[in-house]
Amino acid sequence: MKKKALCVFILLFWAVGVSTFLSGKVQEEMIPQVTILEPSIEERALPMDCLFLDETGMHLYSVYEGTGWEAGTRVREEDLSGCELGENGILVTGWNPYVQYASKPLTPGTLVEVKKSADKQPDHWLAVFPEEAPVLDQLPEGVSVAERNSHVVLLSLEEAQQPYMDGRAKSMIPSLEGAWVYSFQEMEQFLDCLAPLGLLAALLTAPVLLWACSCFMAREAGKNRVFLLVNLGVGLALTACVPLVLGAIDLPSSLLPREHITDLGFFAQEYSRFFQALTSFAPPASATGPLAPNLPQSPAGQAIIHYRNSLLMRPVLWMSLGFVFPLLVILTERGIMIWRNRPKIQ
């Protein structure tokens, strides 16, 4: 009974430690990035793009510094009944800094990271329209259409502010309103995180398998003391690598779900919509041959698909190590036990 209790305690201790690492990383990743704007002293007017529109209506958010359990920069929703919507924008009565753009939808009380400056890098935006794509004939300087069809438009930008924010993109190009817009920079960042996520899964799986094997060995603890210590040491070493791998994961905020990072359906939907829209640019098989790769015409579209294909198996290989490595350790220990207990010839 004491051995069973010890085994359960070790598993619970490990689970608490790993959960602490994971919860801290999840909280860090789920923090939306926002830009803020303060109304001028003379007019107290905000541009219309400070309004956030969703299925529940229009929202105006301001930022404040929380205290106690709610320490940090957070957002609160302002009462629009005290504001006036005019031709020059939103007339407000307060002096609080207001949110202008956000990397993901906001909810009152959400902890946010204020981006005071934005890096500018070349980028491509993929706009997927639920209906027929409009004619984009009045684009800002440095923006051009690289490829398009009836429902999808690929835009090339000489300079785009990073990180990508949906409201900022649609304020820059109003014709994108109503479309799902994806940044190639953000998608590449997401793809770069797949291998570390696979390695993380392996680091979480291997210690559990070693623990399960050690529980059987604990029935004869005195006889298997060395093996138990080896499994414990290996499990601790693998667990110590978890924070290092978590540090290599930096998921783009614009491709994260609104509330729960474990919403795998959201990731699958965004991933499939992006690449299905890209492959919709490919010419029909009758024009290229049945064995031709299903690729868009633009070099940028082809490059990101090749990049995805080069990374796609890496997380699977890393995840498989979570089973193969402890299995090799267990088989090695089993082989040593059989060799040690072999009959001795007199």
Side-chain angles (χ1 to χ4, degrees):
M1 182 62 69
K2 292 182 179 180
K3 295 177 182 178
K4 292 181 179 180
L6 180 61
C7 287
V8 173
F9 173 77
I10 291 174
L11 181 61
L12 290 177
F13 181 79
W14 175 85
V16 169
V18 169
S19 298
T20 302
F21 294 137
L22 293 178
S23 61
K25 183 62 177 179
V26 168
Q27 182 180 12
E28 176 187 340
E29 290 291 325
M30 291 297 288
I31 295 178
Q33 298 169 323
V34 301
T35 62
I36 60 175
L37 189 65
E38 296 186 18
S40 63
I41 299 177
E42 297 80 10
E43 299 180 357
R44 291 193 178 182
L46 298 172
M48 294 299 293
D49 51 11
C50 287
L51 284 178
F52 291 80
L53 182 64
D54 59 19
E55 61 277 2
T56 62
M58 293 188 299
H59 309 274
L60 178 66
Y61 297 102
S62 63
V63 299
Y64 69 96
E65 291 297 326
T67 58
W69 291 101
E70 293 188 349
T73 304
R74 297 180 180 271
V75 297
R76 61 181 163 216
E77 186 171 359
E78 298 291 333
D79 187 5
L80 285 175
S81 62
C83 304
E84 182 180 347
L85 302 182
E87 295 181 357
N88 297 328
I90 312 165
L91 300 179
V92 295
T93 58
W95 297 99
N96 299 323
Y98 292 88
V99 177
Q100 184 176 18
Y101 304 119
S103 60
K104 56 184 294 188
L106 301 174
T107 54
T110 301
L111 188 69
V112 296
E113 177 188 357
V114 177
K115 303 292 288 186
K116 296 183 179 180
S117 61
D119 297 331
K120 292 186 177 181
Q121 299 178 5
D123 199 359
H124 287 80
W125 291 349
L126 185 70
V128 184
F129 292 87
E131 299 178 356
E132 187 174 355
V135 178
L136 304 178
D137 53 358
Q138 295 182 349
L139 295 174
E141 184 179 355
V143 182
S144 60
V145 175
E147 203 165 0
R148 68 167 295 148
N149 57 29
S150 59
H151 289 82
V152 186
V153 179
L154 177 60
L155 298 171
S156 175
L157 294 89
E158 295 179 2
E159 285 188 342
Q161 291 182 315
Q162 303 295 334
Y164 171 81
M165 296 183 181
D166 193 67
R168 184 159 57 190
K170 293 177 180 178
S171 176
M172 178 181 175
I173 308 176
S175 301
L176 298 180
E177 192 64 42
W180 295 283
V181 184
Y182 301 93
S183 163
F184 274 36
Q185 289 274 4
E186 300 273 284
M187 183 56 70
E188 289 178 3
Q189 183 180 345
F190 175 77
L191 294 174
D192 288 337
C193 293
L194 293 181
L197 286 171
L199 179 56
L200 177 64
L203 291 175
L204 298 179
T205 303
V208 175
L209 295 180
L210 290 174
W211 168 84
C213 177
S214 299
C215 288
F216 288 100
M217 292 184 179
R219 297 175 181 177
E220 299 179 350
K223 186 177 179 181
N224 299 319
R225 182 178 304 170
V226 175
F227 298 138
L228 292 173
L229 291 175
V230 169
N231 290 350
L232 178 61
V234 172
L236 290 176
L238 294 174
T239 305
C241 294
V242 170
L244 301 178
V245 175
L246 288 175
I249 298 174
D250 185 17
L251 293 167
S253 183
S254 65
L255 293 177
L256 291 180
R258 182 169 185 168
E259 295 181 356
H260 304 293
I261 201 171
T262 54
D263 187 359
L264 300 182
F266 176 87
F267 289 110
Q269 179 183 12
E270 297 296 290
Y271 178 90
S272 61
R273 182 185 290 135
F274 178 88
F275 285 103
Q276 285 177 7
L278 264 186
T279 54
S280 69
F281 291 130
S286 58
T288 58
L291 299 180
N294 192 23
L295 295 174
Q297 298 295 312
S298 64
Q302 295 179 12
I304 197 169
I305 289 180
H306 287 311
Y307 190 63
R308 177 204 63 177
N309 294 342
S310 67
L311 297 176
L312 207 53
M313 288 304 298
R314 294 186 186 181
V316 177
L317 293 175
W318 281 118
M319 290 175 63
S320 65
L321 281 179
F323 296 92
V324 174
F325 177 73
L327 181 61
L328 291 176
V329 173
I330 294 169
L331 291 177
T332 301
E333 292 175 347
R334 183 63 179 171
I336 294 174
M337 292 172 61
I338 294 175
W339 180 83
R340 189 177 62 182
N341 297 327
R342 75 189 189 286
K344 296 182 181 180
I345 300 176
Q346 301 293 334

